[in-house]
Amino acid sequence: MQARPAAIRLGVNVDHVATVRQARGTDYPDPVEAGLLAAAAGAHSITIHLREDRRHIQEHDVRRLKSRCPVPVNLEMAVTEDMVAFACRVKPQCACLVPERRQELTTEGGLDVAGHEAEISAACRRLARAGIAVALFIDPEPAQLKAALRTGAPHIEIHTGAYAEARGARQQRERARIARFAAQAHAAGLEVHAGHGLNLDNVASIARIAPIVELNIGHSIIARALFVGLPAAVAEMRRAMTDARGW
Ligand code: PXP
């Protein structure tokens, strides 16, 4: 008999609640309130991305979320001196290191760990000393996995953007690539997460990949919340994931 896969967790990214707030320069809707609602509806962690251009989440959001959130806070951040220093002061439970370009609509592509190994390793060490569990957001490419292992980061998050954008046979190939990569990373001792572009239509086949134990999902949940409310949108996504996983 095959062993039952570990349960899968849902991290809800609430950046786009802040996007609506920043569009008018008001103090509502509050992404922290959204994070608390999502946690009450079953999110296992709350993710926010403090971007260099501060286009949505602001520093005070991170501090307020950290002090009030009953589940772990996962801070997505670029590998810059300012961001590492900020994270070490605020001490979210988790941090996910991502690449950042000012003109991009959202995070495009994974972190080039292989190309910036010394800098990323130094950031991982500083964040680990502050008690923060670090994940590296990477594309499912063997060179990135080898480099990620050398940084000492305990977690990786696999970029599922290419899978989410592909259709038909190409999507199946992307899914197979992610599954192989997740198995290799897990066998090498890393905790494996995944995210980007996941929605109710494409989440099941990623949630079925046993070594993946956490999915971080934002845009589709916040978009769905406009019609059904945030607690229902979180509950729907959790159900889609646990149904696919078998529990
Ligand atoms: N994981 C990471 C590292 C991300 O940068 C993002 C986007 O902020 C997500 C997950 C969530 O992606 P989406 O909003 O497409 O669900």
Side-chain angles (χ1 to χ4, degrees), residues 124-205:
C124 288
R125 284 193 295 275
R126 281 174 69 190
L127 294 164
R129 275 200 300 275
I132 301 167
V134 179
L136 302 179
F137 185 54
I138 55 176
D139 291 314
E141 289 166 4
Q144 298 300 341
L145 177 57
K146 281 194 194 127
L149 283 164
R150 290 192 295 264
T151 66
H155 306 161
I156 56 162
E157 180 169 325
I158 303 175
H159 191 309
T160 52
Y163 159 83
E165 280 168 22
R167 295 288 174 273
R170 239 199 88 213
Q171 188 171 52
Q172 285 318 304
R173 283 199 297 278
E174 286 296 338
R175 195 265 182 201
R177 192 157 83 101
I178 291 169
R180 272 195 309 277
F181 188 80
Q184 285 161 3
H186 175 74
L190 294 172
E191 182 173 299
V192 185
H193 309 164
H196 211 278
L198 298 177
N199 58 39
L200 285 175
D201 293 329
N202 65 21
V203 74
S205 93

Side-chain angles (χ1 to χ4, degrees), residues 18 21-22 26-32 48 50 54 56-68 86 90:
R21 178 189 64 188
Q22 298 308 112
T26 51
D27 58 6
Y28 66 87
D30 181 3
V32 174
I48 44 181
L50 182 64
R54 305 296 192 260
H56 40 51
I57 293 296
Q58 307 296 308
E59 291 184 21
H60 64 83
D61 296 322
V62 186
R63 288 198 202 88
R64 286 185 304 124
L65 187 66
K66 172 66 195 340
S67 71
R68 295 178 58 193
F86 176 79
V90 179

Side-chain angles (χ1 to χ4, degrees), residues 196-226:
H196 211 278
L198 298 177
N199 58 39
L200 285 175
D201 293 329
N202 65 21
V203 74
S205 93
I206 296 296
R208 275 191 210 105
I209 300 173
I212 295 178
V213 294
E214 179 177 305
L215 298 181
N216 285 302
I217 306 180
H219 187 264
S220 70
I221 292 179
I222 302 305
R224 179 81 179 137
L226 294 174

Side-chain angles (χ1 to χ4, degrees), residues 77-152:
M77 51 178 275
V79 189
T80 63
E81 172 54 36
D82 283 356
M83 276 311 308
V84 174
F86 176 79
C88 289
R89 281 197 302 277
V90 179
K91 295 186 171 47
Q93 288 84 353
C94 311
C96 182
L97 304 187
V98 299
E100 229 178 74
R101 281 189 289 125
R102 273 185 182 246
Q103 303 310 323
E104 67 190 359
L105 282 178
T106 179
T107 314
E108 291 165 3
L111 193 63
D112 180 13
V113 187
H116 301 89
E117 198 177 314
E119 184 191 344
I120 291 170
S121 299
C124 288
R125 284 193 295 275
R126 281 174 69 190
L127 294 164
R129 275 200 300 275
I132 301 167
V134 179
L136 302 179
F137 185 54
I138 55 176
D139 291 314
E141 289 166 4
Q144 298 300 341
L145 177 57
K146 281 194 194 127
L149 283 164
R150 290 192 295 264
T151 66

